[in-house]
Amino acid sequence: MHKSTLTTSLRTHVVIAITACLISSCGGSGGSSDAISPGATSGDGVVPDGVDLPFLDSNSVIVGSEFDGEMTRFSPNSGLASNFSDLDRFDQFADFVGPIDIAGNTLISVSNTNGLYGVDINTGETLWETALGRLKDGGGIDHPSAPVCADNICYAMGNGGELVAFDVTTQIKLWTNDLFPNADDHLDINPLLVVDDKIFAGGGRRSTVFGDVTPQLFVVSRLTGEVESELEFGFPTLAGDLLLIRGQPPGLRAYDLDTMQAIWSFSASIVSPPAIAGNVIAFHTSDITVDAAQAQRIVGISRNNGSLLWLQEAGALQSFSAPVSDGRLIYSHFGEICFNSPCQIGYPRALNPADGSIVWENRDIENRGLAPVVVEGQLLYDHTLTFRSGTGIISGSTLVNSADGSIEWASTDKLARSSLTAIIDGTAYRSSIWPTFVSRR
């Protein structure tokens, strides 16, 4: 097994360990990332010749999850926002959290009440609700995983560690599996990675208040819900035929997705969710040879063997970022100093995956959210401050041209708060931090 270390590869550049809360906040839930929107690329992350990628048009649906169980719908042409849905039917307080998915004409979301919900895509009416196991103590502190849907079946993991498969057509639970039966309190639940017939589900808890629950990463059968195997804990990502796991031990490890045999590892004390463009894997990390205000780096490594290809300065380590890709460019932001830590503040930029050079950056946009939703030719940011001549500063959601970083529209009406999802031709495109279903077949 080839092993490449950041310290050796960069010579004078060495990495530091930072607090667990910063690590878990790299991309919100500390989640896995599917570098390119599913259905848009071939298995190795390269845009196939002759394939048209999806583009936001007047038929697209953009929905943002907010607080208090509300959803907002945005016009794909102008960013004009309108109230779309809430949970009034159930007369209870609940927050929609994380991104939505879609099954047929039903939008699927979770809430901090540990529920899975179906919402009509046309009317915003809440159609049904089902529990994701027992709501563990801590309630809104930790949330279920974002739902992942395929073939009208949706998968989600409750905050107590119960993994559920729900048939949207029949509104029946097909199976449920409590992966953490000894957990008495809420857990830190990681985003699910669902690939072909397998579900990679992980979680756990490090807490002096509620007690430790050893973090674990399970490989679960989509068909039966049975645990097939267990891997070293970490946050999984797909890179073609490789399974990437970041976390413990520190760094990034690559496994053959079919055999689960280790291929290579890259050592670093902090690794963001990675983005994949062809044979380049890009992620954010750190460098202690300079001040923390300049310590963030984005590096590109080889998907073949984990060797270092390039590095680029990425600003303040305090505003740690996560890159995304459309197979052509790497999109991220240059971190800036903020008053709260950890935070995610910085101006967007695009890098060439071949050498890490800067293709564009826009300093009139301050990204305050997570990684953007990537669709062909456009980047959809959920929370930005933007400056436009004649308008001044606008706080809201923003659509950016991915070719040059220019602003196509900036919404003055609503913040997406936690996430945006674009529905194009019946497929959900959301930030790669929360991957949707991936089929290699």
Side-chain angles (χ1 to χ4, degrees):
M1 178 179 67
H2 174 81
K3 183 174 182 180
S4 171
T5 65
L6 186 62
T7 303
T8 300
S9 300
L10 301 185
R11 296 182 182 177
T12 59
H13 295 86
V14 294
V15 295
I16 58 171
I18 61 175
T19 64
C21 73
L22 178 57
I23 293 175
S24 64
S25 73
C26 301
S29 302
S32 62
S33 64
D34 182 19
I36 305 173
S37 299
T41 64
S42 62
D44 61 1
V46 179
V47 179
D49 292 335
V51 174
D52 293 328
L53 297 185
F55 191 87
L56 285 172
D57 58 23
S58 58
N59 296 319
S60 303
V61 175
I62 303 174
V63 174
S65 301
E66 294 193 80
F67 298 128
D68 301 333
E70 295 181 354
M71 287 182 176
T72 296
R73 189 162 176 166
F74 294 85
S75 165
N77 298 320
S78 64
L80 183 66
S82 58
N83 292 332
F84 176 62
S85 182
D86 57 38
L87 293 183
D88 286 346
R89 170 185 169 185
F90 300 105
D91 193 27
Q92 65 179 353
F93 175 81
D95 293 344
F96 281 108
V97 293
I100 60 176
D101 209 333
I102 187 169
N105 285 321
T106 304
L107 303 180
I108 311 297
S109 184
V110 295
S111 78
N112 68 334
T113 59
N114 223 37
L116 184 73
Y117 297 86
V119 176
D120 188 282
I121 190 173
N122 296 310
T123 66
E125 177 189 1
T126 303
L127 302 174
W128 49 259
E129 168 193 19
T130 189
L132 296 171
R134 182 170 64 88
L135 178 65
K136 299 295 178 72
D137 292 341
I141 296 177
D142 290 292
H143 305 297
S145 71
V148 178
C149 302
D151 304 320
N152 284 322
I153 299 173
C154 297
Y155 308 91
M157 191 170 173
N159 80 341
E162 293 187 46
L163 184 63
V164 173
F166 185 81
D167 189 319
V168 174
T169 303
T170 63
Q171 296 179 27
I172 294 174
K173 287 182 182 177
L174 300 180
W175 52 257
T176 182
N177 189 349
D178 189 351
L179 299 179
F180 295 87
N182 297 322
D184 296 325
D185 301 303
H186 63 276
L187 302 173
D188 299 318
I189 303 299
N190 302 333
L192 301 179
L193 176 63
V194 184
V195 182
D196 295 333
D197 57 356
K198 299 183 185 299
I199 302 172
F200 297 87
R205 181 180 60 242
R206 297 298 189 192
S207 172
T208 58
V209 177
F210 297 102
D212 281 357
V213 175
T214 301
Q216 294 175 276
L217 177 61
F218 300 96
V219 184
V220 179
S221 166
R222 272 186 65 203
L223 179 63
T224 66
E226 296 296 321
V227 174
E228 296 181 345
S229 60
E230 185 177 347
L231 303 174
E232 287 185 273
F233 178 72
F235 303 97
T237 302
L238 187 66
D241 57 355
L242 292 183
L243 175 69
L244 304 180
I245 299 179
R246 64 182 183 93
Q248 301 297 328
L252 192 66
R253 308 187 303 284
Y255 295 84
D256 183 284
L257 187 60
D258 296 313
T259 66
M260 297 299 171
Q261 296 297 309
I263 304 298
W264 52 258
S265 65
F266 188 98
S267 297
S269 294
I270 177 172
V271 174
S272 76
I276 294 86
N279 284 319
V280 177
I281 299 171
F283 55 87
H284 283 251
T285 184
S286 60
D287 171 17
I288 63 169
T289 66
V290 296
D291 185 85
Q294 301 172 312
Q296 191 172 174
R297 299 285 184 266
I298 181 171
V299 301
I301 66 174
S302 168
R303 189 172 71 95
N304 297 324
N305 56 26
S307 60
L308 181 72
L309 301 176
W310 50 261
L311 78 156
Q312 177 66 252
E313 293 184 5
L317 183 61
Q318 182 187 24
S319 293
F320 204 67
S321 183
V324 296
S325 176
D326 57 5
R328 297 186 177 95
L329 297 175
I330 303 292
Y331 307 101
S332 191
H333 77 223
F334 188 85
E336 297 179 311
I337 297 294
C338 65
F339 294 103
N340 299 312
S341 182
C343 57
Q344 287 138 336
I345 294 178
Y347 54 83
R349 57 169 24 173
L351 304 180
N352 184 339
D355 58 10
S357 59
I358 299 173
V359 177
W360 59 257
E361 55 188 31
N362 189 336
R363 301 196 182 195
D364 288 334
I365 305 174
E366 185 179 80
N367 177 31
R368 290 175 168 247
L370 305 178
V373 177
V374 180
V375 292
E376 168 65 356
Q378 295 161 313
L379 306 173
L380 190 58
Y381 290 87
D382 57 12
H383 184 185
T384 60
L385 294 180
T386 58
F387 177 81
R388 306 200 68 174
S389 179
T391 306
I393 296 176
I394 300 172
S395 177
S397 302
T398 302
L399 187 67
V400 171
N401 187 313
S402 64
D404 58 14
S406 61
I407 299 172
E408 298 195 2
W409 54 252
S411 174
T412 60
D413 299 289
K414 292 276 188 176
L415 292 177
R417 300 289 185 185
S418 61
S419 65
L420 284 173
T421 301
I423 309 295
I424 306 172
D425 295 329
T427 299
Y429 294 85
R430 52 196 199 186
S431 173
S432 59
I433 291 168
W434 294 284
T436 49
F437 173 70
V438 179
S439 175
R440 298 185 298 153
R441 298 169 181 170

